[in-house]
Amino acid sequence: MRLDHLLHETCRHIEMATDEEMEYKASRLKWSKREILGHLIDSAVNNLQRFTEIQFQPKPLKIRKYDQDGLVSANNYQHSDTESLLNLWLALNERIGDVMETQTKETLAYAIELPDGTSSDLRFLMTDYVDHLEHHIRQLLPE
């Protein structure tokens, strides 16, 4: 599974990263690697809720946006322990992987309404989650 590969590679690289590498900010408007990891935690929390609620909520499930910058700031990820963040991120994504593996052709077709008003399905939402994760993981890996 693509998600499992991403989790393994990311953990390996973050475990080897120094605090200086994880804290570095190119500018005050850019996230550090630690804040990117925090953003991925927020994404996992929000998407785990979406992936499970769609199983029992009326369809289409309305997907709401969340304030990414606000959550990164409110959670104070920049000044958090990298190992704790990594463990939380990994646990959330292992749970997401388990939820993904239990889906059927029928459940993957469950309808969603995206924040822009367009329609899609759970399959799209899950694929988009992993694509988003992969995009940010590229930012975490050594250059």
Side-chain angles (χ1 to χ4, degrees):
M1 178 189 248
R2 187 170 144 218
L3 179 60
D4 291 333
H5 174 74
L6 291 171
L7 299 181
H8 173 76
E9 286 301 305
T10 303
C11 286
R12 190 168 62 84
H13 287 291
I14 290 178
E15 287 169 347
M16 295 183 337
T18 66
D19 280 339
E20 291 77 24
E21 290 171 307
M22 294 301 292
E23 293 170 357
Y24 174 75
K25 292 174 71 91
S27 78
R28 66 178 191 80
L29 299 176
K30 297 276 188 185
W31 287 338
S32 67
K33 288 184 178 187
R34 188 175 290 144
E35 289 171 317
I36 292 169
L37 180 59
H39 165 65
L40 292 176
I41 289 169
D42 297 334
S43 176
V45 167
N46 279 277
N47 280 287
L48 179 58
Q49 184 171 359
R50 293 167 177 168
F51 299 161
T52 53
E53 284 185 349
I54 198 169
Q55 307 299 319
F56 57 85
Q57 291 291 329
K59 315 303 183 275
L61 180 69
K62 293 185 187 324
I63 304 299
R64 67 173 180 83
K65 289 181 82 167
Y66 57 95
D67 183 345
Q68 299 174 17
D69 290 321
L71 285 171
V72 167
S73 177
N75 280 295
N76 194 29
Y77 291 125
Q78 180 66 0
H79 300 102
S80 298
D81 175 66
T82 299
E83 183 179 357
S84 296
L85 296 178
L86 183 61
N87 290 335
L88 176 57
W89 175 77
L90 184 59
L92 286 165
N93 278 285
E94 287 173 343
R95 172 83 332 245
I96 285 171
D98 290 345
V99 170
M100 286 178 167
E101 287 180 4
T102 64
Q103 301 311 301
T104 65
K105 189 175 180 178
E106 179 185 344
T107 62
L108 288 170
Y110 283 164
I112 63 169
E113 182 181 316
L114 297 168
D116 66 3
T118 59
S119 297
S120 195
D121 59 19
L122 179 58
R123 179 184 310 278
F124 165 81
L125 196 60
M126 288 183 164
T127 301
D128 186 63
Y129 173 75
V130 177
D131 290 345
H132 171 259
L133 182 64
E134 188 171 38
H135 163 76
H136 284 297
I137 285 173
R138 285 190 200 112
Q139 298 171 319
L140 293 174
L141 301 181
E143 293 146 15

